[in-house]
């Protein structure tokens, strides 16, 4: 049985005070919940203060990307060891905004995945197609290519530290959510690819989150699908009550 995993991707939002207060409120609200894994991913600058606000909470602290190098002349970047130093245990990699706006290729995402695993970080690996790709019937191929490319040379043992997030690009920040059936179909396809590459037991143990306009009013039906094991939530994770309502559906 896969444990539901709900993560909030705060992207480049909030002030330090808002981020710290939101972290504290979420920690407070989930203090009794242990049957779901929860992570919040603030921007780099707030990791330290949000981590402090989380205190001893079971809510995990995550980052939104990393540089595959440990240290050196990489202006503006942050490394795996730095994220660990800041208290992170999770990192989102291969988000479509990173792929599209910062030209991240599957090969680069793969290097980042390996670096994150080396430092003991749990990876949320994002994959997803554009509207154009969906409309031309390429969804399975695009998502499959991203998955296989980003997971090149990853071992079956390492897969225990990886969660996949299926995020159709056309559903991100648009209010246009994939129907539970559309999402379930791709999640089942992803699980099939995991069976081919890593075997049945890894595929059955790997969690696949859905992301893209997840809100309190659509979370229940999405999370009820057999192959949807959690959610990667953007906008709705910026408000404690709406994030908590999604968690309660998990
Ligand atoms: P929204 O929930 O705002 O659509 O964002 C989804 C997302 O990109 C999470 O990583």
């Amino acid at each position: 049985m896969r444990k539901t995993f709900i993560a909030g991707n705060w992207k480049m939002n909030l002030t330090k005070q808002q981020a710290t207060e939101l972290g504290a409120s979420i920690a407070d609200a989930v203090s009794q919940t242990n049957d779901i894994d929860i992570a919040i991913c603030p921007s780099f600058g707030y990791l330290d203060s949000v981590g402090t606000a989380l205190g001893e909470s079971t809510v995990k602290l995550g980052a939104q990307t990393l540089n595959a190098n440990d240290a050196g002349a990489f202006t503006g970047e942050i490394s795996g060891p730095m994220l660990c130093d800041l208290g992170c245990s999770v990192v989102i990699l291969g988000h479509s905004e990173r792929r599209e706006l910062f030209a991240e290729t599957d090969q680069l995402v793969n290097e980042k995945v390996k670096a994150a695993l080396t430092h003991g970080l749990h990876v949320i690996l994002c994959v997803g197609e554009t509207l154009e790709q969906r409309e031309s019937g390429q969804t399975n191929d695009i998502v499959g290519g991203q998955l296989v490319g980003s997971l090149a040379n990853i071992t079956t043992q390492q897969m225990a530290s990886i969660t996949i997030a299926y995020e159709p690009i056309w559903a991100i920040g648009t209010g246009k959510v994939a129907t539970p059936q559309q999402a379930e179909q791709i999640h089942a396809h992803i699980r099939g690819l995991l069976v081919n590459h890593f075997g049945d037991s890894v595929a059955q143990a790997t969690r696949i989150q859905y992301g893209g306009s997840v809100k309190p009013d659509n979370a229940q039906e999405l999370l009820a699908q057999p192959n949807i094991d959690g959610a990667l939530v953007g906008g709705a994770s910026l408000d404690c009550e709406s994030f908590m309502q999604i968690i309660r559906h998990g």
Side-chain angles (χ1 to χ4, degrees):
M1 192 57 196
R2 295 179 291 270
K3 191 175 182 186
T4 301
F5 183 12
I6 311 255
N9 177 6
W10 292 359
K11 307 192 181 183
M12 198 173 71
N13 289 302
L14 307 175
T15 63
K16 182 177 172 184
Q17 187 180 344
Q18 289 168 335
T20 310
E21 285 175 6
L22 181 56
S25 306
I26 292 170
D28 213 32
V30 301
S31 59
Q32 313 91 334
T33 330
N34 242 342
D35 44 356
I36 291 184
D37 283 334
I38 299 165
I40 51 176
C41 306
S43 61
F44 295 145
Y46 304 149
L47 285 170
D48 203 20
S49 45
V50 172
T52 304
L54 288 178
E56 297 302 305
S57 163
T58 53
V59 177
K60 298 173 172 59
L61 185 67
Q64 300 170 15
T65 184
L66 53 64
N67 187 287
N69 297 282
D70 284 0
F74 301 98
T75 303
E77 293 288 272
I78 193 161
S79 69
M82 289 171 174
L83 294 183
C84 294
D85 201 13
L86 287 163
C88 287
S89 58
V90 173
V91 63
I92 299 170
L93 294 175
H95 192 280
S96 58
E97 287 149 19
R98 301 294 315 173
R99 291 177 186 266
E100 286 196 329
L101 303 173
F102 302 95
E104 291 194 6
T105 60
D106 291 331
Q107 192 189 343
L108 181 63
V109 174
N110 180 239
E111 285 168 22
K112 292 184 179 213
V113 170
K114 290 182 195 155
L117 296 173
T118 302
H119 299 293
L121 292 162
H122 186 96
V123 172
I124 298 177
L125 171 66
C126 303
V127 295
E129 82 288 1
T130 63
L131 186 58
E132 197 185 4
Q133 289 162 341
R134 170 164 284 267
E135 287 176 343
S136 57
Q138 297 177 71
T139 301
N140 283 359
D141 288 348
I142 294 292
V143 167
Q146 290 171 343
L147 189 81
V148 172
S150 306
L151 293 177
N153 301 312
I154 297 302
T155 66
T156 52
Q157 285 79 6
Q158 286 175 316
M159 282 303 292
S161 300
I162 296 182
T163 293
I164 311 296
Y166 168 59
E167 298 205 309
I169 295 169
W170 48 272
I172 295 177
T174 59
K176 241 191 246 173
V177 66
T179 65
Q181 293 70 27
Q182 279 175 324
E184 169 61 19
Q185 193 182 16
I186 307 301
H187 281 233
H189 173 67
I190 291 171
R191 202 169 307 284
L193 292 170
L194 293 174
V195 172
N196 294 345
H197 284 82
F198 300 102
D200 197 53
S201 67
V202 167
Q204 296 312 325
T206 303
R207 289 170 301 181
I208 309 174
Q209 296 174 325
Y210 169 80
S213 296
V214 176
K215 308 281 178 220
D217 63 358
N218 59 31
Q220 186 167 20
E221 219 188 330
L222 285 161
L223 292 167
Q225 302 304 310
N227 284 294
I228 300 185
D229 311 310
L232 182 54
V233 187
S237 72
L238 296 172
D239 175 77
C240 182
E241 189 42 38
S242 68
F243 191 51
M244 288 312 301
Q245 282 179 32
I246 293 168
I247 288 169
R248 283 185 212 111
H249 289 310

